[in-house]
Amino acid sequence: MGATGLRARRGGACPGSVRPGMRWWSAVLGLLLLRLGLHALRGFISTGTVRSVKAAVCRSSYGRFHLGDEYGRRYSSFPTGLRQEMREMARGMFHFGYDNYMRYAFPEDELNPILCRGRGPDTGNPSNLNINDVLGNYSLTLIDALDTLAVMGNVSEFRRAVRLVIDTVTFDKDSTVQVFEANIRILGSLLSAHIILTDAKQPFGNMTIIGYDDELLHMAHDLAVRLLPAFENTRTGMPYPRVNLQKGVPPNSLNETCTAGAGSLLVEFGILSRLLGDSTFEWVARRAVQALWGLRNNNTGLLGNVVDIQTGQWVGRQSGVGAGLDSFFEYLLKSYILFGEEEDLHMFNEAYRSIQSHLRRGRESCNEGEGDPPLYVNVNMFNGQIMNTWIDSLQAFFPGLQVLKGDIEDAICLHAFYYAIWKRYGALPERYNWQLQAPDISFYPLRPELVESTYLLYQATKNPFYLHVGMDILLSLEKHAKAECGYATLHHVVDKSQEDRMESFFLSETCKYLFLVSAERLHP
């Protein structure tokens, strides 16, 4: 996702936090499977809606893009043998990147897939936030890949990797990291792996480890305690964007943070609170969400993308469903799915209505009527006027969220728009100008959002078109992103030049969703 991807967790009961009749363990495992793309969506989707849109893959155009009858003819089936081949290709893609990370880069945070070297924080240039926000000198790629190992059924390597994390990783580091990134990549990964280890049903095969004594949970607790100073000494309750894992909030820290960064902590912190029986973590995360919610514009109901955590004033007035805001909406709905708090569902539904009213452009119906199919644009939060003519690749998560909402028709149409861009370039540019029909920012860091939405749409519709989409994405990555010892960021989606970086989410999310798209059953 955003957002980026959610991690899931289990925990002890918290009075009043779960819907009546919902067993806590079932709720937690359900969100874990949601984060892994394995949960059942039927409760959110009416069968009539599925039937009405199952065959429709947006029979219309947006500019020069066209997804029409040709796709109905070519993509109406997907042979079983090809599906098995796709699954093994996705498994092989993951292991090529993972094995080479372990060979050339571990215990550093990332693999440089062209020069086959490890990468850690840029200690010589603390202002290099593109690197230092993410890399904390804590074997990021290994931790982030734990649940993918389990989903793919690699029992021996999952157990070995868990032991390596327990034996070699510490968070007592003089590293300044972004709270949001440490939460979604590290805290969430530790909790996911802990759930997999302790789940009585063991849906991915027997991943249990003899002698496991909740070490990953203790590590998650240690990390979360080191993130808590971000919430201290702010007038609004919204966290500072960065903390030093040893020293707390840096003295020169900015007071500005993006909406997604401040409002996308509730799932991980909420689960940790329930696991530990300590409400502190969920309380601070929920307080931040409520603070942001109170800053919506009274007329439009929209939020901006950058806020001052001390004054509560909007610094960035752009409202959209991409970078800076994406996972805020995602976490509202997924927090409700997990915790059953009606407040979370109310906030999501209100936010979704405002999005539909002010951000959605195009004809009312995806498949009927005059004009272009739906598109979600970036607008001024105060008046709903368009601020620019680009969308970003993170927005490709939104069709998947619409699936969970039950808005299948719009999900199908919006997904088709992003897939059309992928078909043109063999990747998604970081920003695409929908008016000029050309990239504004041309790199592609192997993001998972389009693959995740593809998987969720396949689960909702069972339309084989989405299996073809998954195969197309997989083949494109294999052709254009494969490097000497991993998969490399595309520097430019047109000329396919590469950058020497493989972000951890490629293994933890992109490869996993490609694998799951082709999976015919839960157990690998």
Side-chain angles (χ1 to χ4, degrees), residues 457-478:
L457 271 164
Y458 177 69
Q459 288 299 306
T461 67
K462 296 302 180 183
N463 192 321
F465 170 78
Y466 297 106
L467 298 176
H468 286 277
V469 174
M471 176 63 92
D472 194 14
I473 293 172
L474 195 155
L475 292 174
S476 295
L477 291 171
E478 191 69 22

Side-chain angles (χ1 to χ4, degrees), residues 144 185 445-448 503-511:
D144 211 3
R185 301 203 200 197
L446 313 181
R447 293 196 187 278
E503 294 227 35
S504 67
F505 54 66
F506 174 70
L507 297 181
S508 69
E509 297 184 72
T510 306
C511 288

Side-chain angles (χ1 to χ4, degrees), residues 26-158:
S26 297
V28 174
L29 181 59
L31 191 72
L32 174 59
L33 299 183
L34 171 64
R35 183 260 182 273
L36 301 177
L38 293 171
H39 72 301
L41 300 168
R42 302 305 186 261
F44 292 87
I45 305 165
S46 69
T47 55
T49 300
V50 173
R51 283 196 299 268
S52 67
V53 300
K54 186 172 181 180
V57 187
C58 203
R59 299 181 295 274
S60 44
S61 64
Y62 208 107
R64 292 192 297 273
F65 294 134
H66 183 75
L67 296 175
D69 294 337
E70 173 192 357
Y71 286 84
R73 291 190 299 269
R74 291 178 55 193
Y75 295 162
S76 60
S77 64
F78 198 87
T80 300
L82 186 59
R83 189 168 179 171
Q84 294 171 345
E85 179 183 351
M86 175 184 171
R87 192 180 193 196
E88 293 311 307
M89 288 175 63
R91 192 196 305 271
M93 177 176 285
F94 168 81
H95 277 290
F96 183 71
Y98 173 83
D99 293 347
N100 280 310
Y101 164 77
M102 295 302 296
R103 180 177 298 114
Y104 296 112
F106 176 79
E108 296 193 71
D109 287 307
E110 288 181 350
L111 169 69
N112 288 354
I114 297 175
L115 295 179
C116 302
R117 298 174 182 169
R119 180 199 295 267
D122 187 352
T123 56
N125 182 13
S127 64
N128 184 1
L129 300 182
N130 183 48
I131 296 297
N132 293 330
D133 271 357
V134 178
L135 309 189
N137 193 22
Y138 38 36
S139 300
L140 169 64
T141 295
L142 176 63
I143 295 176
D144 211 3
L146 288 175
D147 59 353
T148 305
L149 287 166
V151 169
M152 292 186 176
N154 193 333
V155 177
S156 60
E157 186 59 25
F158 174 76

Side-chain angles (χ1 to χ4, degrees), residues 323-357:
L325 283 146
D326 51 350
S327 56
F328 176 78
F329 306 121
E330 180 185 15
Y331 271 49
L332 289 178
L333 182 54
K334 292 182 178 179
S335 293
Y336 170 72
I337 293 170
L338 178 58
F339 303 130
E341 293 280 2
E342 294 294 332
E343 178 189 26
D344 296 335
L345 182 61
H346 170 74
M347 287 189 288
F348 175 79
N349 284 334
E350 287 296 311
Y352 192 76
R353 275 191 282 271
S354 296
I355 288 169
Q356 294 295 94
S357 297

Side-chain angles (χ1 to χ4, degrees), residues 229-242 249 253-259 261-262 288 291-292 295 306-315:
F231 295 87
E232 299 171 1
N233 302 315
T234 74
R235 298 190 190 118
T236 63
M238 291 181 283
Y240 284 95
R242 297 172 183 86
V249 176
S253 184
L254 296 175
N255 289 330
E256 299 173 4
T257 190
C258 71
T259 302
L292 283 165
L295 298 177
V306 180
V307 66
D308 189 304
I309 63 172
Q310 299 295 354
T311 66
Q313 297 296 309
W314 289 108
V315 178

Side-chain angles (χ1 to χ4, degrees), residues 466-518:
Y466 297 106
L467 298 176
H468 286 277
V469 174
M471 176 63 92
D472 194 14
I473 293 172
L474 195 155
L475 292 174
S476 295
L477 291 171
E478 191 69 22
K479 179 179 180 180
H480 302 304
K482 192 169 188 178
E484 182 68 24
C485 55
Y487 292 83
T489 292
L490 294 184
H491 177 72
H492 201 293
V493 298
V494 176
D495 64 24
K496 305 301 187 295
S497 53
Q498 296 180 342
E499 293 183 15
D500 198 9
R501 187 176 187 188
M502 185 177 78
E503 294 227 35
S504 67
F505 54 66
F506 174 70
L507 297 181
S508 69
E509 297 184 72
T510 306
C511 288
K512 176 162 53 215
Y513 280 114
L514 285 170
F515 179 82
L516 289 170
V517 168
S518 61

